[in-house]
Amino acid sequence: MKVDYKTYIIMLIIAASIVMVSGCASTYQTFNNSGLYLQYPGNWTGIDVPATDQDLATQSGFNIIGVFVDGQSIGNYTYIMEIGAGNITDINLTAAADNLNNNYIVNEADQAPLVNRTTLKNGYDAIIYSYNATGASSNLTVFATTYVFSKDNQTAYYIIFGTPLGDTAETQETIQKIADSIKID
């Protein structure tokens, strides 16, 4: 029986490619706090809440419930994700988002943010702010996307995504995967 080395080599290359690609596939972790569930990349690490960020969130009527980085620290990352929650029973989603914008986002944004209204995958109304910023705690220049959303106008949540990589297709894909996984009790 004659061995076809060309076919054998091609099959080895294909097998090696599959192993390499599957090894790159990211696993996801689950965030679960204050009635909010979402999935984020498994290589991101939770860090302590930066005091400057918490001060700005508090002024906005929110409490930070999680901060995660893809990197080593608040000063060295490729992604940061900050999650906050606030009681909005006396106001509505628009007012909660305005508070966050007026007391937090404007302190970091290099210009007025672009603002869009949308509905997230699981049906939650959301207001999205996109802007270039200087991180309050990291002092890094980042492209930021902030989602402010609610299920029932009882609790508002925000997620700030920041990356020094800028607004790229990869950045938006990562953000969209996380946003699509959002579920609220």
Side-chain angles (χ1 to χ4, degrees), residues 89-164:
T89 55
D90 297 333
I91 58 175
N92 60 31
L93 179 62
T94 301
D98 286 345
N99 285 342
L100 189 69
N101 182 46
N102 295 335
N103 294 295
Y104 194 156
I105 293 172
V106 298
N107 287 307
E108 295 186 320
D110 296 336
Q111 78 281 346
L114 296 172
V115 182
N116 294 305
R117 287 193 82 96
T118 192
T119 302
L120 299 179
K121 182 178 180 181
N122 288 317
Y124 313 125
D125 289 333
I127 299 171
I128 302 173
Y129 298 88
S130 302
Y131 51 98
N132 290 316
T134 302
S137 296
S138 70
N139 291 315
L140 294 176
T141 300
V142 298
F143 176 77
T145 305
T146 300
Y147 286 74
V148 184
F149 52 95
S150 179
K151 175 181 179 180
D152 56 12
N153 271 338
Q154 298 293 310
T155 302
Y157 299 94
Y158 77 78
I159 303 175
I160 299 174
F161 298 98
T163 177

Side-chain angles (χ1 to χ4, degrees), residues 51-68:
T52 304
D53 288 16
Q54 184 59 65
D55 289 345
L56 293 172
T58 299
Q59 293 171 30
S60 304
F62 289 87
N63 182 50
I64 297 174
I65 56 176
V67 181
F68 303 87

Side-chain angles (χ1 to χ4, degrees), residues 62-86:
F62 289 87
N63 182 50
I64 297 174
I65 56 176
V67 181
F68 303 87
V69 296
D70 175 17
Q72 297 176 3
S73 67
I74 189 70
N76 181 8
Y77 59 82
T78 54
Y79 283 99
I80 188 168
M81 176 177 69
E82 178 181 292
I83 305 167

